[in-house]
């Protein structure tokens, strides 16, 4: 089981790093595809599930509370996003936002903390499940943010001609 935990923690670190890298379009304000927008929340959910599976403390009530609060805050953040789209090329762009990248960076830090505390130190677990709950919160935040933006904001967003990977230098907000 110990080698399974090590492999799971290493995979979680790699996936969390990829999730952070995949959300760079929000920091540099560049147009990207619908698929690229979906990658970060999908990876965050996978990472959180991996951390919850290998968590030594199984506190389901804490995990459920973290998910519910993350969904609520993510829905609010998704409804506040200012999105432009290019309907023909299926591209999306937002002005610089830091909440998604911050959540992805915190998720990476949580996975690194789980790796260090579970596999590199001889620290006994407190069996509270806090790292797993925090990961579940961040994954729920990113997922709800994406779902609300995709279902409610994108269909109502203003069309703006864009080129993939470029910043048109202007944002039209309805």
């Amino acid at each position: 089981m110990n080698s399974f935990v090590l492999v799971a923690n290493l995979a979680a670190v790699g996936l969390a790093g990829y999730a952070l890298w995949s959300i760079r379009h929000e920091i540099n304000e560049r147009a990207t595809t619908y698929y690229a927008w979906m990658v970060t929340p999908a990876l965050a959910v996978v990472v959180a599930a991996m951390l919850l599976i290998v968590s030594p403390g199984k506190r389901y009530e804490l995990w459920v509370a973290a998910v519910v609060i993350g969904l609520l805050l993510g829905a609010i953040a998704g409804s506040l996003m200012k999105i432009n789209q290019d309907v023909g090329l299926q591209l999306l762009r937002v002005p610089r936002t830091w909440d998604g990248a911050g959540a992805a960076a915190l998720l990476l830090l949580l996975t690194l903390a789980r790796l260090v505390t579970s596999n590199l130190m001889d620290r006994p677990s407190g069996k509270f499940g806090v790292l797993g709950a925090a990961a579940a919160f961040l994954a729920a935040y990113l997922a709800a943010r994406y779902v609300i933006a995709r279902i409610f904001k994108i269909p109502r967003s203003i069309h703006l001609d864009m080129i993939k990977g470029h910043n048109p230098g202007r944002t039209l907000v309805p």
Side-chain angles (χ1 to χ4, degrees):
M1 178 87 174
N2 197 13
S3 62
F4 170 74
V5 172
L6 176 62
V7 170
N9 285 333
L10 287 172
V13 168
L15 291 174
Y18 184 58
L20 179 59
W21 181 78
S22 69
I23 201 165
R24 69 191 183 285
H25 58 84
E26 290 186 12
I27 297 172
N28 57 24
E29 302 178 326
R30 296 189 180 177
T32 191
T33 63
Y34 292 163
Y35 172 75
W37 266 61
M38 183 182 64
V39 169
T40 303
L43 287 172
V45 168
V46 169
V47 168
M50 292 173 73
L51 289 179
L52 290 175
I53 289 169
V54 299
S55 178
K58 304 288 187 199
R59 302 257 328 257
Y60 299 109
E61 67 280 355
L62 178 63
W63 297 351
V64 170
V67 168
V68 169
I69 293 169
L71 289 173
L72 178 66
L73 293 178
I76 292 169
S79 67
L80 296 176
M81 292 178 77
K82 297 174 175 127
I83 300 173
N84 291 137
Q85 70 173 325
D86 187 326
V87 179
L89 297 176
Q90 295 184 342
L91 296 175
L92 300 171
R93 182 187 161 272
V94 294
R96 182 169 288 126
T97 59
W98 293 98
D99 62 324
L106 286 173
L107 189 62
L108 177 62
L109 286 174
L110 286 173
T111 58
L112 287 170
R114 169 62 66 204
L115 176 70
V116 169
T117 59
S118 294
N119 300 106
L120 302 178
M121 294 173 52
D122 285 331
R123 180 189 71 85
S125 174
K127 298 198 186 295
F128 292 115
V130 175
L131 284 176
F137 167 79
L138 294 170
Y141 177 85
L142 288 170
R145 182 177 174 264
Y146 168 77
V147 168
I148 294 298
R150 182 72 178 101
I151 292 174
F152 295 109
K153 296 293 282 192
I154 292 172
R156 295 184 184 109
S157 65
I158 294 175
H159 175 82
L160 184 66
D161 292 330
M162 292 184 241
I163 300 170
K164 183 179 177 185
H166 288 71
N167 180 354
R170 61 197 184 284
T171 300
L172 303 173
V173 179

